Amino acid sequence: AISLVDVDKVYRPSRDVEVVALRGATLTVERGEIVALMGPSGSGKTTALNIMGTLDRPTRGRVYVAGFDVTEADEGFLEALRLHYIGFVFQSINLVPSLTALENVALPMLAAGYPRHEAYRKARLLLDAVGLLDRAGHYPHQLSGGQQQRVAIARALANMPLILILDEPTSNVDVATARALLTLFREINSVLGTTIVMATHDPEVASIAGKVVYVRGGVVSRSAVKLAE
Amino acid sequence: AISLVDVDKVYRPSRDVEVVALRGATLTVERGEIVALMGPSGSGKTTALNIMGTLDRPTRGRVYVAGFDVTEADEGFLEALRLHYIGFVFQSINLVPSLTALENVALPMLAAGYPRHEAYRKARLLLDAVGLLDRAGHYPHQLSGGQQQRVAIARALANMPLILILDEPTSNVDVATARALLTLFREINSVLGTTIVMATHDPEVASIAGKVVYVRGGVVSRSAVKLAE
Ligand SMILES: Nc1ncnc2c1ncn2[C@@H]1O[C@H](COP(=O)(O)OP(=O)(O)OP(=O)(O)O)[C@@H](O)[C@H]1O
Ligand SMILES: Nc1ncnc2c1ncn2[C@@H]1O[C@H](COP(=O)(O)OP(=O)(O)OP(=O)(O)O)[C@@H](O)[C@H]1O
Ligand SMILES: [Mg+2]
Ligand SMILES: [Mg+2]
């Protein structure tokens, strides 16, 4: 489903400063797999997820998504790929502040051409699945941190994506809510066959993955830890 | 140091909707104490912290900070109280996007009248204390999620506040970094006598508190769990 082949990512925050966020990263996530990235703060997890999800381009190396070599694909193609095939939950959540929870979840479906009433019907179902149907009319600033994160999860599921990219998806919720979300992810993976790649600092979240990959100082470990089923 | 006495907080997101975020909340944090608030997502922790830190006003009830009844205090007085006595780490981090990490940490000291070179010298020490001296020149968008959170912690410590209010301070960092931060908080509390109130979903974070208070559906438990030292 997704592979990075010998990927470097080098940032230049200013003329004389270079930060190597990824160095020779090689990683394959098979279709229908759940893979977790773990590693210290600043090690390169978000950078790797952004490149895998075609939100950012590598400085060197190749990126393959759903069989396509997307390394130099044009932006229009990548936008369509993301809209129809890839769901994101950003570490910084990123809800649209001027839209309600319901509108935020419906937006990807409206953009994909769904009829309006159908998009809102499904958005209600998705909000219900994350326990927030009663907050449908709230704007992001009228929700708690954990509630915003759950709206972002519902939005990522909107177009029944092939691939789900989750960046610290449970960092703002309590243990019980996190467990309910993990059950939801596991069900989506087993019923729909959705491929899931996630960054997490929580061992319990990583425990739903079939494979855990460690990232340290921009280096992605070649050997993945296979967890017992 | 801080008390809530029979505090309600009611939001009105729209004309016909009322959300009771806090209901009769009564809570006292003694000077030099470390208190943790725990509870499900949406239960009222951030609302309670914002009122304790004078960032928001209760709908009913009284609020006392450092001996003052701040319930109806004027905004100018509260701004000075916050600047000199209270350090915040927001759940949504809230760094100033157009300032570097160093400038973000120096800002509260410049606002409090510190000489420029002194503010920057101290800001460098604080960034070093959270392990980010090498990112001093980065803007928030050039930092990882966990690095941004650590810059926010350094900023909260800038004016050596009497009271530190931390809203999920380790949600974006790995376990090892979180432990290092907890040691920093514990040292600040024991060496400077700083009062610390924090919201967390992580039992390990709560374990540095002398008292854990549970919040559920806007109701703050009266009995606190005293942890063995
Ligand atoms: N401006 C607002 N308007 C309406 N409702 C609000 C507003 N702000 C918060 N709420 C509601 O108040 C309740 C308490 O929110 P609060 O942010 O205090 O929760 P929390 O315990 O910090 O949750 P989390 O663990 O998810 O951060 C929530 O149900 C939320 O939807
Ligand atoms: N735009 C940028 N310019 C310069 N450096 C950057 C930029 N974005 C990220 N970095 C650096 O790249 C490194 C990797 O960042 P990344 O966000 O991938 O880390 P992470 O593993 O997700 O960390 P966390 O667990 O804190 O979220 C960090 O050291 C960070 O400072
Ligand atoms: Mg990250
Ligand atoms: Mg909160």
Side-chain angles (χ1 to χ4, degrees), chain A residues 18 30 53 56 100 108 113 165 196 204:
Chain A
E18 224 178 56
E30 307 292 350
D56 201 359
T100 65
I165 296 184
I196 297 179
E204 191 167 345

mmCIF file of all heavy atoms in Angstrom, chain A residues 18 30 53 56 100 108 113 165 196 204:
data_model
loop_
_atom_site.group_PDB
_atom_site.id
_atom_site.type_symbol
_atom_site.label_atom_id
_atom_site.label_comp_id
_atom_site.label_asym_id
_atom_site.label_seq_id
_atom_site.Cartn_x
_atom_site.Cartn_y
_atom_site.Cartn_z
ATOM 1 N N GLU A 18 20.793 23.499 8.531
ATOM 2 C CA GLU A 18 20.190 22.344 7.871
ATOM 3 C C GLU A 18 19.803 21.322 8.935
ATOM 4 O O GLU A 18 20.605 21.002 9.802
ATOM 5 C CB GLU A 18 21.249 21.709 6.962
ATOM 6 C CG GLU A 18 20.733 21.332 5.597
ATOM 7 C CD GLU A 18 21.833 20.743 4.725
ATOM 8 O OE1 GLU A 18 22.450 19.744 5.169
ATOM 9 O OE2 GLU A 18 22.072 21.291 3.641
ATOM 10 N N GLU A 30 2.213 -2.981 4.120
ATOM 11 C CA GLU A 30 1.418 -3.786 3.192
ATOM 12 C C GLU A 30 -0.063 -3.404 3.270
ATOM 13 O O GLU A 30 -0.532 -2.890 4.284
ATOM 14 C CB GLU A 30 1.542 -5.278 3.549
ATOM 15 C CG GLU A 30 2.950 -5.817 3.668
ATOM 16 C CD GLU A 30 3.691 -5.866 2.336
ATOM 17 O OE1 GLU A 30 3.030 -5.647 1.294
ATOM 18 O OE2 GLU A 30 4.906 -6.095 2.344
ATOM 19 N N GLY A 53 1.890 10.157 3.277
ATOM 20 C CA GLY A 53 0.544 10.586 2.919
ATOM 21 C C GLY A 53 0.534 11.599 1.788
ATOM 22 O O GLY A 53 -0.500 12.206 1.503
ATOM 23 N N ASP A 56 3.904 15.977 1.871
ATOM 24 C CA ASP A 56 5.216 16.606 1.782
ATOM 25 C C ASP A 56 6.054 15.747 0.850
ATOM 26 O O ASP A 56 5.741 14.563 0.651
ATOM 27 C CB ASP A 56 5.836 16.660 3.197
ATOM 28 C CG ASP A 56 6.918 17.713 3.300
ATOM 29 O OD1 ASP A 56 7.202 18.395 2.284
ATOM 30 O OD2 ASP A 56 7.497 17.856 4.390
ATOM 31 N N THR A 100 -18.854 23.913 11.913
ATOM 32 C CA THR A 100 -19.247 23.105 13.067
ATOM 33 C C THR A 100 -18.612 21.710 12.940
ATOM 34 O O THR A 100 -18.080 21.342 11.898
ATOM 35 C CB THR A 100 -20.775 22.927 13.113
ATOM 36 O OG1 THR A 100 -21.153 22.171 11.946
ATOM 37 C CG2 THR A 100 -21.509 24.245 13.169
ATOM 38 N N PRO A 108 -15.120 16.613 3.532
ATOM 39 C CA PRO A 108 -14.440 15.755 2.552
ATOM 40 C C PRO A 108 -15.421 15.048 1.614
ATOM 41 O O PRO A 108 -15.107 14.806 0.443
ATOM 42 C CB PRO A 108 -13.690 14.738 3.403
ATOM 43 C CG PRO A 108 -13.631 15.295 4.763
ATOM 44 C CD PRO A 108 -14.804 16.189 4.913
ATOM 45 N N GLY A 113 -17.928 15.063 -4.010
ATOM 46 C CA GLY A 113 -19.098 15.024 -4.883
ATOM 47 C C GLY A 113 -20.321 14.321 -4.322
ATOM 48 O O GLY A 113 -21.294 14.097 -5.032
ATOM 49 N N ILE A 165 -3.948 7.573 8.023
ATOM 50 C CA ILE A 165 -2.700 8.017 8.632
ATOM 51 C C ILE A 165 -3.026 8.786 9.899
ATOM 52 O O ILE A 165 -3.686 9.817 9.864
ATOM 53 C CB ILE A 165 -1.883 8.849 7.621
ATOM 54 C CG1 ILE A 165 -1.485 7.937 6.461
ATOM 55 C CG2 ILE A 165 -0.677 9.475 8.295
ATOM 56 C CD1 ILE A 165 -0.602 8.567 5.434
ATOM 57 N N ILE A 196 -3.613 0.979 8.034
ATOM 58 C CA ILE A 196 -3.457 2.033 9.042
ATOM 59 C C ILE A 196 -1.978 2.210 9.393
ATOM 60 O O ILE A 196 -1.274 1.247 9.690
ATOM 61 C CB ILE A 196 -4.253 1.696 10.321
ATOM 62 C CG1 ILE A 196 -5.766 1.621 10.012
ATOM 63 C CG2 ILE A 196 -3.976 2.729 11.411
ATOM 64 C CD1 ILE A 196 -6.624 1.272 11.217
ATOM 65 N N GLU A 204 0.054 1.142 24.507
ATOM 66 C CA GLU A 204 -1.233 0.474 24.351
ATOM 67 C C GLU A 204 -1.802 0.703 22.950
ATOM 68 O O GLU A 204 -2.416 -0.180 22.358
ATOM 69 C CB GLU A 204 -2.222 0.957 25.419
ATOM 70 C CG GLU A 204 -3.461 0.095 25.440
ATOM 71 C CD GLU A 204 -4.351 0.298 26.659
ATOM 72 O OE1 GLU A 204 -3.912 0.904 27.648
ATOM 73 O OE2 GLU A 204 -5.497 -0.154 26.599
#
